[in-house]
Amino acid sequence: MISIARLYNIFVMEQSSYGSAISRRLNTTFAALANPTRRAILARLASGEVSVSELAEPFAMTQPAISRHLRVLERAGLISTASDAQRRPRKLDARPLAEATEWLEAYREYWEASFLRLDGLLGELKAANKKRKRPTARLR
Amino acid sequence: MISIARLYNIFVMEQSSYGSAISRRLNTTFAALANPTRRAILARLASGEVSVSELAEPFAMTQPAISRHLRVLERAGLISTASDAQRRPRKLDARPLAEATEWLEAYREYWEASFLRLDGLLGELKAANKKRKRPTARLR
């Protein structure tokens, strides 16, 4: 069911690579994603380049506070400044998201399997419930 | 190409839901994943239930340090204590990983599209390079 070999590879990779580039990038990517404002900024940028003042607009936050979030996203390589020298809009760089998705994908088989087990369990419970209810139905 | 509607929904959801359950769960899940030791522990648990001392073994870390990481994972709902009352092994709970994967999946079309653009660009550059090199080839 689950690709143990693949997960074990990740385990070994993670352990031997406290300093490895991918492991460090995953640290900063996941840390950057652990905040709702930063996730909202990324979602906004997925539709195209946006200036900092436009990015700040929907939030009840000062521009310095937004700028701090932008710096975290920038350091994680998730956004960069687009080429328009005057507006200096920000744009989404999706490569770290691809790496994070790949890391999580190794667990897909695991959680799909556990949901299937849950589904199976629910099915069994429903069937058992029906059996129990049958006499009552006959009495109607 | 990119499902803007879906991303916009996420954007609106995130904004209106500083307190929403999913948004808070994503905060704790991503924060828990932002550490190589915790990711290694999850990978180890994907192969089955493991006792705390076995979990600590491969790390150059004291057991209290490992216990702190386990508490972070536990608070994020990523692990729990299995039913064996004596060994109290930990087991993986994959539901938060499923939610995090779903959040990241909204960006898949985005980064797949940008990698395709990069591929296209590389193709064009190679083609342009070949054209430029043709005269040199004739001189050989």
Side-chain angles (χ1 to χ4, degrees):
Chain A
M1 288 281 258
I2 176 163
S3 164
I4 301 289
R6 200 174 162 200
L7 282 168
Y8 187 75
N9 281 343
I10 292 175
F11 174 57
V12 170
M13 191 270 291
E14 292 272 3
Q15 263 188 276
S16 65
S17 66
Y18 273 76
S20 98
I22 285 189
S23 185
R24 264 180 291 140
R25 282 203 301 271
L26 285 174
N27 294 346
T28 52
T29 303
F30 284 133
L33 297 182
N35 178 283
T37 304
R38 291 197 291 266
R39 289 197 302 275
I41 289 171
L42 292 180
R44 181 86 167 79
L45 290 176
S47 60
E49 300 174 2
V50 182
S51 73
V52 174
S53 56
E54 282 173 288
L55 276 176
E57 215 182 64
F59 298 103
M61 247 180 228
T62 61
Q63 199 149 321
I66 290 292
S67 294
R68 272 195 295 278
H69 283 307
L70 292 177
R71 269 200 300 279
V72 174
L73 291 168
E74 213 155 343
R75 271 199 297 264
L78 284 159
I79 66 168
S80 60
T81 305
S83 48
D84 180 337
Q86 222 162 9
R87 281 177 66 237
R88 294 178 45 81
R90 298 308 195 267
K91 65 183 179 69
L92 180 63
D93 293 331
R95 191 168 287 266
L97 295 177
E99 273 178 355
T101 307
E102 206 188 341
W103 185 87
L104 279 160
E105 276 298 331
Y107 292 86
R108 175 182 289 278
E109 284 173 76
Y110 185 91
W111 53 259
E112 278 183 350
S114 59
F115 292 164
L116 281 177
R117 275 199 303 274
L118 198 66
D119 264 7
L121 199 68
L122 284 174
E124 279 170 40
L125 281 171
K126 271 183 198 164
N129 228 12
K130 258 188 193 163
K131 260 188 193 167
R132 224 180 300 140
K133 273 185 182 165
R134 214 175 283 157
T136 329
R138 264 183 215 150
L139 288 173
R140 262 180 212 155
Chain B
M1 290 281 257
I2 176 166
S3 165
I4 301 290
R6 200 173 163 203
L7 281 167
Y8 188 75
N9 282 344
I10 292 175
F11 175 56
V12 169
M13 190 271 290
E14 291 272 3
Q15 264 189 277
S16 65
S17 64
Y18 274 76
S20 99
I22 284 189
S23 185
R24 264 178 293 140
R25 283 204 300 272
L26 285 173
N27 295 346
T28 51
T29 304
F30 284 132
L33 297 181
N35 178 285
T37 304
R38 291 197 290 268
R39 290 196 302 275
I41 289 171
L42 292 179
R44 182 85 168 77
L45 290 176
S47 62
E49 300 175 0
V50 182
S51 73
V52 174
S53 56
E54 281 173 290
L55 276 176
E57 213 182 66
F59 298 103
M61 249 182 228
T62 61
Q63 200 150 320
I66 290 292
S67 294
R68 272 196 296 278
H69 283 308
L70 292 177
R71 270 201 298 280
V72 174
L73 291 169
E74 212 155 343
R75 272 199 297 265
L78 284 158
I79 66 168
S80 60
T81 305
S83 48
D84 180 337
Q86 221 162 8
R87 279 178 66 237
R88 294 176 48 76
R90 298 306 195 270
K91 65 183 179 68
L92 180 62
D93 292 331
R95 192 168 288 265
L97 295 177
E99 274 179 354
T101 307
E102 206 188 340
W103 185 87
L104 278 161
E105 277 297 331
Y107 292 86
R108 176 182 289 276
E109 286 173 75
Y110 185 91
W111 51 260
E112 279 184 349
S114 60
F115 291 164
L116 282 177
R117 275 199 303 275
L118 198 67
D119 264 7
L121 200 69
L122 284 175
E124 280 171 39
L125 281 172
K126 271 183 197 164
N129 228 12
K130 258 188 193 166
K131 259 188 192 166
R132 222 180 302 139
K133 275 187 181 165
R134 216 175 285 155
T136 327
R138 264 184 216 149
L139 286 175
R140 262 181 214 156

